[in-house]
Amino acid sequence: MKLLRCPVNGVRPVSEFAYGGEIRSMPADTCSDIEWAHYVFNRSGVPGVKVEWWYHIASGTWFHAERDTVTDRVLRTWLPGDLPPAADGKAA
Amino acid sequence: MTFSTQRPVTAGAPDIGASTTPAPPGRLPVIAGEWIDRTRRLAFTFEGKAFSGFDGDTPSSALWAAGVRILGRSFKYHRPRGLLSMANHDINALMQAGPRLNLRADVEPLEAALNLTAVNTHGGVDVDRARLLGWFGGLLPVGFYYKAFHKPKALFPFWERLFRRITGLGRVEFDAPHVRTPKRYDFADLLVVGAGPAGLMAALTAARAGAKVVLVDENARIGGSLGYQRGGNDDTLARLRALESQLAELPNVSVRTSTLAAGWYADHWVPLVDAKRMTKLRTRAVLVAGGAYEQPAVFRNNDLPGVMLASAAQRLIYRYGVKPMDNAVVLTANADGYVAALDLLAQGIGVPAIVDLRPEGDASDLPTRARQLGIQVLEGHCVFEAEGGNRLAAVVVCPTDADGRPQTSAPQRIACDGLLMSVGWAPAAPLLYQAGTRMGFDTTVQQFVPRELPAGMFAAGRVNGVFALEAKLLDGERAGAEAARFLGFAATSRITDRPTETTSPSHPWPIVEHASGKNFIDFDEDLQLRDFYNAAQEGFDNIELMKRYTTVGMGASQGKHSNMNAIRILARIRGRTPGDIGTTTARPFFHPVPMSHLAGRGFSPHRETPLHSRHEALRAVWMQAGIWLRPEYYAAPDKTRIELVREEAAAVRKAVGLIDVGTLGKMELFGPDAGEFLERVYTARFANLKVGMTRYAVMLDEAGVVIDDGVVARLAPEHFYFTTTTTGAATVYRELQRLNAMWGLRIGIVNATGAFAAMNLAGPGSRAVLAGLTALDLADAAFPYLAVRIGEVAGVTCRLMRVGFVGELGYEIHVPADQAARVWDAIMAADAGVRPFGVEAQRLLRLEKGHIIVGQDTDGLTQPDQAGLTWAVKTDKPFFVGKRSVEIVRKGAVRQRLVGFDLTVAPGGPVPKECHLVIRDGNIAGRVTSIAWSDALQRHIGLAFVEPDLAVDATPFFIRADGGLMVQAKVAPTPFYDPAGARQKLA
Amino acid sequence: MPYQLLRFAFSSKHPEPRMFREPDRLKDTYDAVIIGAGGHGLASAYYLARDHGMTNVAVLDRGYLGGGNTGRNTAIIRSNYLTPEGVAFYDQSVRLWQDLAQDFDLNLFYSTRGHFTLAHTDSAVRTMRWRAEVNKHFGIDSELVGPDAVGKACPQMDLSCGGHAPIMGALYHAPGAIARHDAVAWGYGRGADQRGVEIHQQTEVLGIDVEAGQVKGVRTSKGYISTRKVLCAVAGFTPRVCDMVGLRTPIYIHPLQAMVTEPQKPWLDPILVSGSLHIYVSQSARGELVMGASLDPYELHSTRSTLDFVEGLSAHMLDLFPFLSNARINRQWAGMADMTPDFAPIMGKTPVTGFYLDSGWGTWGFKATPVCGKTMSYTLANDRNHPLIEGFGLARFERYELTGEKGAASVGH
């Protein structure tokens, strides 16, 4: 089973985590209705290294993970508000 | 070393020394290192006939020893088949033993009293009526079933029923028990797969460096080829014993035999499967030393019983003491074949000829030795065909030309009852593939070998293209040291690169064409050489298409003996190299794994509230609510469900009822920004909610869809307590946490769902009941409708909310979970009139009030305006989740609205059900979401989505009930019951 | 023995021609380029050539014909969807399916087995009734049945599911069928090829040229093609291809896994689906139980397998069929599902003129293969959306007019 590093609880199997999707920023209030609809529905489905929300269920910890959506390699994880650590390139 | 196995390891038969009693027919005298215990006979039956074997036998070895040559029938033509590999890919010798199906007779341990039959025969293995199919072979070329049976269309079901009678292998027994096999978990630094010479050396090397090593082998004993490729003496067995004793000195190696590394999964997660269970191993590195599968030669009738892989004969001899045949021709293209010939001779088996495909023969001294022993060695020859009816009687041998084609002008017919095929190997690389290893074709060894291994993956031995014994040992040492260094241990090895072979152990084209065919490539699927040419002719000339059209490799052995030859054939057809052709994907599992092992114990978790035992005592009838069990209603003798539900509802309307609502999600929210947080996550206003008051709350997603609702209570300026739906609790809590991880408001949120129990005491008599249990001032002025109070009930500090979900004076009492029973008991004891009611009565009561249930009266696309929740949506707030979407949707036309309706049903007439459709002018115009008979109102009432123009009071519309009968309903204002809400606001 | 087989006996040489040619190289220009030689792409090519006379068409695939989700799905065909748009669309597909083998002169093993969607909760019963009512309204053979009917169709099943998820009813869809999935791609491929369409395997699309909002050409690993019409029928690769024309969509990619047992003597007649247990299962013509579950829980552009999948699905299978404890799982695999927010496809014209989408096929694309070919070929040929796909346009999301198929596809298939 895939392993993930929770920034608080360390390396745990992926079954302890929930996926929260890619981190996306909400457009400003002034955006058009179409822009808003695109924000609500559209996704960057293109594969690559993405920064995502992940949740450690047992401890209730949300964190950010930089993950390659082709290889499933997690490059680094960190808590929201913290600075991302240097990518170790190892599957955390 | 620790050792675990399903079978005794070295106990039992003595290693060396001949038994004085003569061996039974078909058995050899005691063989050093044999796996059988000749003192323990096991009686069993095969196809209704009695046999006996020894402990340590497999069904195939015991039957072969008893002279049985037809162990099964082939999948398509039902040809007689014997044994091929004795290495877990004899798919033609699958057997049924009671509820056990597709039992692999070549490797499964023989057990006493097994009643075995061959799978997939019609009338038994010897007289299988379906063998007639073989005569029609010419009518059934590759893909024949795509070309026929569909015209005329009406006849296909007939043909299909026929196919379904003859297809399949083993038979499922429907009364077989549900086997529950608990799983285990284990951890290691290094998993070594395969305990042959390379694996043993690798494990020794890594363990000596300090790594915690798990060494697995699917065979009953370790040793691999050391045990059975002996060349007529016991030198390799001595090597094995030496390695074994070195291993025994290392406490950090765990050796597991009869254990299969069934697949490789992300981050080195490997299921180890044995007869009893699956152990999930988390390891930091994996070293694959699983060897290679010996590959069959392809010639006419290469499937006759008696034709077998050389290693199969060697396994029969050295593991089971079985005499594989009396006289064997050895067909070879490598040194291994000569070694096998020596093994046969040493056991007194005649070897009339060694047929070497290579014009130059073998470079070693083995041919000379063979000739000295009286064996005819025919270099540059091939076996053109095998002869025999149900078993091999002779082989026809002829020279080959420069291109390897048979020259049939002067064939030589050699009588024999055995033919050993030793023409090449294919790597046992599935785990390597699954881990993402880049493999490449090495022409020196005519084999795919690892070119680029992912981090933490290592390979040694034959799977790595290394075949000579000394080289394998060195390669194991090298790989073991590399793995140890990867793991952070200091380790060195005598070599640092993979040893290279000088000659190829695999022949590039061990295939002989024959005009009459029956030269099989895939024994699982009965595929002949010409099937591949024909498939290519039809355009299926890349490996993936060829696999799918021919089904090569799709049988139960997953191509272990067939894929490599298929690749060679395709390469020749396309004028390319096997490396250009490439391989198909090697999916888990390495060998099939029982579903019981995978399922494990089979957990089906559910949650019970702290009041569960009280409900049980009250004879609750349970229903599932998400993961929870809730009382649907409480049973009573001689009364029907519907009577009881109505009685429970009536008790609430007329007296007082008590319901467990503890499954609601319950959240604590603290902090200076708590009000602001609620403003953002719910549609209504909460910043202005007064301390001591509650308010209904609706939650939307970003698309503006209603996803949850509940009640928010303000306990203090910076302390809120709120509920969510039962099924939404976990996801709502999670999403709220995420939102604040983003927003960074000064709040703390706690999921108190399990910490609190909750019950709703409702009905006109509720105040009086409660008054006897609490010092709280329950007067309306002191505790008005929608207020929240903290106070003691029955001596327990509770949170009480005056809410009106069921439309009566009522108090939702939230109490610490461990005190819940005390409060419940006190309430029940306070007044004999308190009647517990279940979910079904509550559904009715809330429907009378027109209150929606999110998920029943809404669906995955319902906007708040559609569900009549506009009043709860405050778009004058600067922001809440879903606000912008609601505003955008409001610019368009509303597609449907939820309305109340009532209807008068003629006695005996149809009553619509939930999700029956609203029909207008023959078109769908909505659907019923809730409907029930209301005793209080003496009519059927319900909620329905209807088209907006129908959503006007008193508008009639039609619902199509069961049987297509139309029932007229009429839009009615909600609440149906007590529209002014006087009862819940009772002063 | 059917007479069709006799020719094999009377012919010394295999009397079958190539099903599809292998063109040497790409032409400079085509009237249309179809990306993706799966069932959908080839069906579109077939009907373009057969019904619309467009034969100067190239079908490109970075892999091989039928090698994507066409060859990875569990081959279930049904039309008991939830929305009027969905029901009408899939109904048309089922009708096409039923005659496809005759149309192709290729046996697809189209096998009508009956399809039960099991309900284990009262809310599931409600959803099944909803679907049944909508289905019946549109003339689809579909009904809500009780546990007794399930037990009759599949007497071996434990209707109590081990006591913890008793079956309360089911949606029964008599026309539910399975088919030999690979053969569908071959049949369409052969038919398209015979009519002049070129199928280029191992030809990867590297980019799409768009000028002033109009498709101009396609850059491939084997050279440049100029064309004004491109159909994207690439399932799990949709976001990558859309990115080439600067189009953003709601499509996201999750793996969908499946597994099979070793062949068993056939015993399971109907197709069974359980949303609560996350199971769908049928028994193939080879006797294998073919099984799937729900989507993997996170985005991944990979067809890797997981052990959790086989563990969970096996446990749930044994709840329904405890006697399968001794049956063995032979193989597992995965496909990449292109999911949409409303579990309905995204089809038709796009803001880029000449760029057409046949996408968002998630876990339900196989059954739609013929009707997608029909409607997409019409749409390409006429540059006008076929009426049956009006509800599936990309623009519906901007308008917040989602199709609401979500309720029907809680477990998909």
Side-chain angles (χ1 to χ4, degrees):
Chain A
M1 193 185 296
K2 182 91 199 133
L3 295 174
L4 260 185
R5 180 184 298 279
C6 168
V8 175
N9 300 285
V11 175
R12 313 291 309 161
V14 75
S15 58
E16 291 188 14
F17 296 87
Y19 172 65
E22 191 181 2
I23 292 180
R24 306 173 309 130
S25 52
M26 193 184 292
D29 269 355
T30 51
C31 75
S32 71
D33 288 355
I34 299 259
E35 282 169 324
W36 183 263
H38 286 185
Y39 160 71
V40 169
F41 295 111
N42 285 355
R43 293 290 176 272
S44 159
V46 181
V49 174
K50 296 184 180 181
V51 181
E52 301 172 325
W53 285 105
W54 282 85
Y55 180 70
H56 184 239
I57 298 165
S59 66
T61 309
W62 279 105
F63 59 94
H64 296 336
E66 195 174 75
R67 186 175 67 95
D68 184 325
T69 63
V70 177
T71 62
D72 211 11
R73 261 177 34 141
V74 177
L75 306 173
R76 47 187 170 169
T77 61
W78 65 98
L79 287 173
D82 286 359
L83 285 174
D88 60 13
K90 276 169 67 177
Chain B
M1 175 178 77
T2 61
F3 216 101
S4 97
T5 178
Q6 297 308 308
R7 307 185 51 74
V9 184
T10 46
D15 258 4
I16 310 285
S19 166
T20 49
T21 50
R27 295 278 178 181
L28 299 163
V30 172
I31 300 279
E34 70 184 12
W35 293 3
I36 53 168
D37 177 354
R38 298 191 187 221
T39 65
R40 298 180 62 191
R41 281 198 169 273
L42 303 175
F44 68 102
T45 70
F46 174 61
E47 297 274 311
K49 289 187 207 123
F51 292 94
S52 86
F54 294 118
D55 192 27
D57 259 325
T58 69
S60 288
S61 67
L63 289 167
W64 206 261
V68 175
R69 288 296 176 264
I70 305 179
L71 299 179
R73 290 276 170 175
S74 67
F75 189 62
K76 181 174 168 188
Y77 301 126
H78 289 253
R79 288 168 64 89
R81 295 274 164 88
L83 54 81
L84 176 68
S85 70
M86 292 300 288
N88 211 350
H89 43 111
D90 284 5
I91 301 310
N92 298 135
L94 293 183
M95 294 186 185
Q96 183 94 24
R100 295 167 65 188
L101 66 159
N102 299 338
L103 184 150
R104 297 202 163 184
D106 59 337
V107 293
E108 295 267 358
L110 184 68
E111 294 167 25
L114 272 184
N115 292 313
L116 298 163
T117 49
V119 301
N120 197 32
T121 72
H122 298 259
V125 76
D126 287 333
V127 295
D128 188 358
R129 289 188 303 275
R131 71 184 187 279
L132 296 173
L133 284 167
W135 301 353
F136 293 110
L139 296 178
L140 310 174
V142 65
F144 73 92
Y145 34 82
Y146 297 120
K147 312 288 177 56
F149 311 108
H150 57 295
K151 286 200 279 198
K153 183 178 163 186
L155 269 187
F156 178 65
F158 162 79
W159 290 114
E160 193 192 15
R161 277 195 296 277
L162 182 75
F163 293 148
R164 283 177 90 88
R165 265 206 302 281
I166 61 175
T167 193
L169 294 171
R171 195 180 59 251
V172 173
E173 300 266 329
F174 303 122
D175 54 1
H178 188 163
V179 182
R180 295 176 191 276
T181 55
K183 297 169 191 171
R184 283 190 186 161
Y185 295 82
D186 204 350
F187 298 87
D189 292 324
L190 177 65
L191 169 68
V192 178
V193 180
L200 286 167
M201 272 307 284
L204 275 172
T205 308
R208 282 180 181 141
K212 184 188 171 196
V213 176
V214 170
L215 172 62
V216 299
D217 196 294
E218 64 177 277
N219 290 287
R221 302 201 188 175
I222 64 169
S225 58
L226 288 171
Y228 64 84
Q229 275 193 327
R230 295 193 196 172
N233 62 62
D234 291 339
D235 294 353
T236 61
L237 185 66
R239 303 285 292 262
L240 171 57
R241 293 291 177 260
L243 290 168
E244 231 171 350
S245 59
Q246 290 171 48
L247 213 52
E249 289 164 13
L250 294 164
N252 51 334
V253 181
S254 163
V255 180
R256 301 176 198 183
T257 55
S258 298
T259 301
L260 165 72
W264 183 96
Y265 298 93
D267 295 337
H268 303 305
W269 179 242
V270 180
L272 304 179
V273 176
D274 61 40
K276 294 244 172 69
R277 68 180 63 79
M278 176 167 79
T279 301
K280 293 189 271 186
L281 179 74
R282 172 72 67 190
T283 179
R284 293 169 57 211
V286 177
L287 193 155
V288 178
Y293 324 115
E294 189 156 34
Q295 297 295 296
V298 178
F299 52 88
R300 176 168 167 77
N301 291 332
N302 60 344
D303 64 331
L304 271 180
V307 180
M308 66 182 76
L309 298 170
S311 52
Q314 291 168 309
R315 289 183 177 103
L316 281 176
I317 293 169
Y318 291 112
R319 292 179 175 179
Y320 309 108
V322 172
K323 192 174 186 186
M325 64 275 296
D326 293 325
N327 282 291
V329 170
V330 177
L331 172 62
T332 191
N334 53 29
D336 298 327
Y338 291 85
V339 170
L342 296 175
D343 283 324
L344 295 181
L345 282 184
Q347 302 305 329
I349 298 163
V351 181
I354 293 175
V355 178
D356 196 325
L357 291 173
R358 300 167 294 180
E360 72 284 6
D362 200 80
S364 69
D365 65 341
L366 284 163
T368 311
R369 281 174 62 193
R371 286 191 170 101
Q372 283 165 355
L373 291 162
I375 302 174
Q376 179 187 11
V377 178
L378 298 165
E379 280 130 353
H381 278 62
C382 68
V383 171
F384 179 60
E385 58 188 350
E387 293 177 0
N390 280 331
R391 59 165 71 187
L392 180 67
V395 294
V396 176
V397 172
C398 65
T400 54
D401 68 9
D403 291 331
R405 280 194 214 83
Q407 303 302 298
T408 53
S409 52
Q412 183 182 350
R413 191 171 177 282
I414 306 172
C416 58
D417 63 340
L419 175 71
L420 269 53
M421 301 180 285
S422 179
V423 296
W425 306 84
L431 266 60
L432 292 174
Y433 279 108
Q434 286 155 27
T437 304
R438 198 170 64 77
M439 303 281 286
F441 193 74
D442 183 333
T443 49
T444 314
V445 288
Q446 285 293 314
Q447 179 187 322
F448 287 93
V449 295
R451 293 275 196 234
E452 200 178 316
L453 287 155
M457 293 299 293
F458 304 89
R462 285 180 183 170
V463 76
N464 202 27
V466 179
F467 281 75
L469 176 55
E470 296 307 325
K472 282 192 284 194
L473 292 164
L474 280 171
D475 197 38
E477 182 184 308
R478 171 202 59 79
E482 276 182 25
R485 288 195 297 272
F486 169 82
L487 293 164
F489 300 98
T492 56
S493 52
R494 285 170 288 168
I495 59 167
T496 52
D497 293 310
R498 172 169 79 103
T500 48
E501 296 287 330
T502 48
T503 58
S504 173
S506 294
H507 194 275
W509 188 251
I511 294 166
V512 176
E513 311 220 4
H514 197 294
S516 302
K518 297 289 185 282
N519 38 6
F520 288 93
I521 307 294
D522 190 318
F523 295 90
D524 296 16
E525 302 280 306
D526 267 0
L527 297 171
Q528 313 170 42
L529 178 57
R530 68 157 168 252
D531 291 330
F532 292 82
Y533 288 118
N534 293 345
Q537 178 185 321
E538 292 189 46
F540 298 93
D541 52 3
N542 71 52
I543 190 65
E544 293 284 355
L545 282 179
M546 181 164 271
K547 170 183 166 183
R548 284 169 166 74
Y549 193 62
T550 61
T551 70
V552 65
M554 288 171 75
S557 76
Q558 303 254 344
K560 291 186 177 68
H561 68 263
S562 58
N563 280 350
M564 194 57 228
N565 279 335
I567 291 167
R568 293 188 201 285
I569 294 163
L570 186 54
R572 181 160 284 208
I573 289 169
R574 303 220 46 152
R576 310 242 178 97
T577 68
D580 296 334
I581 297 297
T583 57
T584 55
T585 320
R587 299 279 182 190
F589 290 114
F590 191 83
H591 298 306
V593 177
M595 290 179 81
S596 58
H597 283 39
L598 295 165
R601 275 187 283 179
F603 295 109
S604 306
H606 66 266
R607 288 184 80 173
E608 300 173 354
T609 76
L611 298 169
H612 193 85
S613 63
R614 299 304 189 269
H615 305 316
E616 289 261 89
L618 290 162
R619 307 184 55 188
V621 175
W622 297 104
M623 65 174 286
Q624 286 193 325
I627 198 172
W628 295 90
L629 284 182
R630 297 192 71 182
E632 183 183 3
Y633 63 99
Y634 296 88
D638 307 325
K639 286 194 176 161
T640 64
R641 171 182 178 277
I642 195 74
E643 284 168 348
L644 289 161
V645 170
R646 285 175 186 169
E647 278 184 18
E648 289 175 10
V652 177
R653 289 276 175 256
K654 290 170 185 159
V656 60
L658 183 64
I659 182 171
D660 181 355
V661 294
T663 62
L664 291 172
K666 295 175 282 286
M667 308 290 156
E668 298 263 26
L669 179 66
F670 303 91
D673 294 335
E676 168 65 15
F677 181 74
L678 292 170
E679 289 279 317
R680 295 191 193 183
V681 299
Y682 284 117
T683 59
R685 297 208 78 99
F686 291 96
N688 66 359
L689 182 65
K690 290 191 177 68
V691 171
M693 293 305 289
T694 68
R695 187 168 288 164
Y696 178 65
V698 176
M699 189 177 291
L700 310 181
D701 67 11
E702 280 199 317
V705 171
V706 178
I707 54 168
D708 204 70
D709 69 350
V711 170
V712 174
R714 190 166 210 168
L715 302 178
E718 296 186 5
H719 181 192
F720 292 83
Y721 177 70
F722 61 97
T723 61
T724 74
T725 59
T726 294
T727 49
T731 45
V732 166
Y733 172 64
R734 185 185 304 172
E735 178 60 7
L736 296 185
Q737 282 181 295
R738 192 185 72 88
L739 289 171
N740 202 54
M742 213 154 52
W743 295 334
L745 295 175
R746 293 166 300 163
I747 60 152
I749 182 164
V750 179
N751 185 348
T753 301
F756 279 98
M759 58 202 96
N760 187 11
L761 180 68
S766 58
R767 187 179 284 149
V769 171
L770 193 57
L773 300 170
T774 182
L776 274 175
D777 183 354
L778 300 178
D780 189 58
F783 192 168
Y785 181 55
L786 298 182
V788 57
R789 294 290 179 269
I790 296 175
E792 283 197 356
V793 176
V796 180
T797 302
C798 301
R799 295 169 181 179
L800 298 93
M801 293 188 252
R802 225 188 118 181
V803 294
F805 189 55
V806 298
E808 299 291 344
L809 174 68
Y811 301 88
E812 199 169 283
I813 305 164
H814 291 245
V815 45
D818 59 342
Q819 303 291 314
R822 187 170 152 192
V823 173
W824 174 277
D825 292 344
I827 293 172
M828 291 298 291
D831 184 331
V834 178
R835 174 147 187 174
F837 65 107
V839 175
E840 204 50 42
Q842 181 183 245
R843 269 188 190 164
L844 167 63
L845 293 163
R846 67 89 204 180
L847 178 59
E848 289 174 342
K849 293 301 294 177
H851 292 146
I852 65 161
I853 296 176
V854 171
Q856 176 174 340
D857 301 300
T858 68
D859 60 48
L861 293 177
T862 305
Q863 296 273 336
D865 292 347
Q866 297 175 344
L869 295 172
T870 308
W871 61 273
V873 180
K874 306 297 179 197
T875 44
D876 55 344
K877 292 199 290 186
F879 174 83
F880 60 84
V881 175
K883 175 180 176 237
R884 181 70 184 267
S885 290
V886 168
E887 288 170 337
I888 295 171
V889 171
R890 278 181 179 172
K891 292 177 187 171
V894 177
R895 294 213 282 184
Q896 56 177 7
R897 284 191 188 283
L898 192 70
V899 295
F901 67 86
D902 56 18
L903 49 83
T904 313
V905 176
V911 179
K913 295 179 178 139
E914 283 153 2
C915 287
H916 275 142
L917 300 179
V918 175
I919 301 292
R920 177 160 70 166
D921 302 332
N923 296 318
I924 297 174
R927 86 185 144 94
V928 175
T929 62
S930 293
I931 186 167
W933 166 260
S934 165
D935 253 357
L937 300 162
Q938 284 297 302
R939 62 179 192 271
H940 282 93
I941 55 169
L943 298 173
F945 277 113
V946 295
E947 289 179 347
D949 61 317
L950 289 176
V952 177
D953 273 351
T955 307
F957 63 88
F958 284 94
I959 300 166
R960 186 159 58 205
D962 282 339
L965 295 166
M966 294 300 219
V967 177
Q968 187 173 347
K970 175 166 99 316
V971 175
T974 59
F976 301 98
Y977 176 81
D978 183 25
R983 297 180 69 90
Q984 68 245 38
K985 296 177 193 158
L986 190 70
Chain C
M1 285 287 159
Y3 68 90
Q4 291 100 326
L5 293 177
L6 291 176
R7 63 193 152 111
F8 295 122
F10 297 125
S11 174
S12 59
K13 197 165 162 25
H14 189 56
E16 295 289 290
R18 276 190 85 90
M19 282 208 191
F20 2 84
R21 292 160 299 161
E22 193 176 20
D24 296 343
R25 54 191 182 82
L26 292 162
K27 288 195 269 188
D28 294 338
T29 177
Y30 293 93
D31 295 339
V33 169
I34 295 171
I35 310 174
H40 285 221
L42 293 169
S44 300
Y46 174 80
Y47 293 116
L48 263 182
R50 197 194 75 172
D51 298 354
H52 303 281
M54 279 178 72
T55 57
N56 184 26
V57 173
V59 183
L60 314 180
D61 202 296
R62 74 202 285 264
Y64 52 93
L65 189 150
N69 291 353
T70 301
R72 296 165 193 273
N73 68 82
T74 48
I76 295 171
I77 296 158
R78 63 179 176 87
S79 64
N80 55 348
Y81 276 72
L82 182 60
T83 60
E85 304 92 314
V87 172
F89 183 79
Y90 291 104
D91 182 42
Q92 183 61 36
S93 203
V94 168
R95 287 167 200 276
L96 287 165
W97 269 115
Q98 289 167 346
D99 291 321
L100 216 48
Q102 285 67 40
D103 196 1
F104 292 163
D105 192 14
L106 190 72
N107 193 345
L108 306 178
F109 276 67
Y110 185 88
S111 173
T112 304
R113 311 221 63 83
H115 182 284
F116 287 88
T117 312
L118 305 176
H120 304 258
T121 64
D122 64 341
S123 70
V125 170
R126 280 197 296 272
T127 306
M128 297 311 143
R129 187 182 293 116
W130 186 6
R131 280 170 61 179
E133 291 300 317
V134 173
N135 294 167
K136 283 189 283 188
H137 182 82
F138 292 101
I140 306 296
D141 188 353
S142 175
E143 59 182 321
L144 180 66
V145 297
D148 48 330
V150 179
K152 209 170 151 195
C154 188
Q156 304 88 353
M157 192 193 302
D158 176 2
L159 293 175
S160 77
C161 289
H164 53 79
I167 291 164
M168 299 172 70
L171 180 69
Y172 175 54
H173 179 48
I178 52 176
R180 179 79 182 93
H181 48 21
D182 296 325
V184 178
W186 305 337
Y188 276 121
R190 181 172 72 172
D193 177 272
Q194 282 168 350
R195 289 166 176 80
V197 171
E198 291 181 3
I199 301 166
H200 293 267
Q201 305 181 64
Q202 269 113 31
T203 304
E204 185 173 2
V205 172
L206 306 171
I208 299 171
D209 284 355
V210 178
E211 271 176 45
Q214 160 72 52
V215 167
K216 290 291 181 199
V218 178
R219 278 175 283 129
T220 81
S221 58
K222 296 197 178 155
Y224 186 83
I225 304 168
S226 63
T227 184
R228 293 177 65 81
K229 291 185 177 182
V230 169
L231 171 62
C232 169
V234 297
F237 296 89
T238 302
R240 300 183 210 193
V241 175
C242 286
D243 198 45
M244 295 175 186
V245 296
L247 201 60
R248 294 258 287 187
T249 73
I251 290 171
Y252 55 100
I253 308 299
H254 285 214
L256 181 70
Q257 302 192 56
M259 66 184 194
V260 290
T261 62
E262 291 180 305
Q264 307 164 355
K265 287 290 170 203
W267 59 273
L268 179 66
D269 284 333
I271 305 156
L272 298 173
V273 177
S274 165
S276 297
L277 296 178
H278 301 290
I279 289 177
Y280 51 94
V281 57
S282 66
Q283 190 165 19
S284 75
R286 290 166 56 85
E288 298 158 327
L289 294 180
V290 184
M291 293 162 278
S294 46
L295 280 179
D296 282 9
Y298 62 89
E299 178 183 0
L300 188 62
H301 301 255
S302 159
T303 54
R304 62 91 182 92
S305 296
T306 70
L307 183 62
D308 332 10
F309 166 78
V310 270
E311 292 180 281
L313 183 49
S314 296
H316 285 139
M317 277 295 293
L318 294 192
D319 285 341
L320 277 182
F321 305 112
F323 53 82
L324 287 177
S325 296
N326 289 305
R328 290 191 264 210
I329 300 301
N330 200 20
R331 185 169 63 245
Q332 64 175 134
W333 68 92
M336 294 193 295
D338 43 333
M339 299 300 298
T340 64
D342 57 0
F343 291 12
I346 297 175
M347 297 179 75
K349 297 178 66 175
T350 68
V352 180
T353 309
F355 184 77
Y356 306 88
L357 274 175
D358 175 24
S359 65
W361 283 109
T363 65
W364 49 85
F366 176 68
K367 62 182 73 64
T369 304
V371 74
C372 285
K374 272 274 187 187
T375 54
M376 290 314 302
S377 61
Y378 174 97
T379 303
L380 243 74
N382 299 296
D383 192 34
R384 186 169 66 240
N385 284 336
H386 188 283
L388 271 179
I389 65 168
E390 285 292 353
F392 302 138
L394 176 60
R396 71 178 183 272
F397 297 99
E398 287 173 7
R399 296 195 302 264
Y400 282 79
E401 288 174 359
L402 278 58
T403 66
E405 204 55 75
K406 209 167 179 171
S410 51
V411 70
H413 326 285

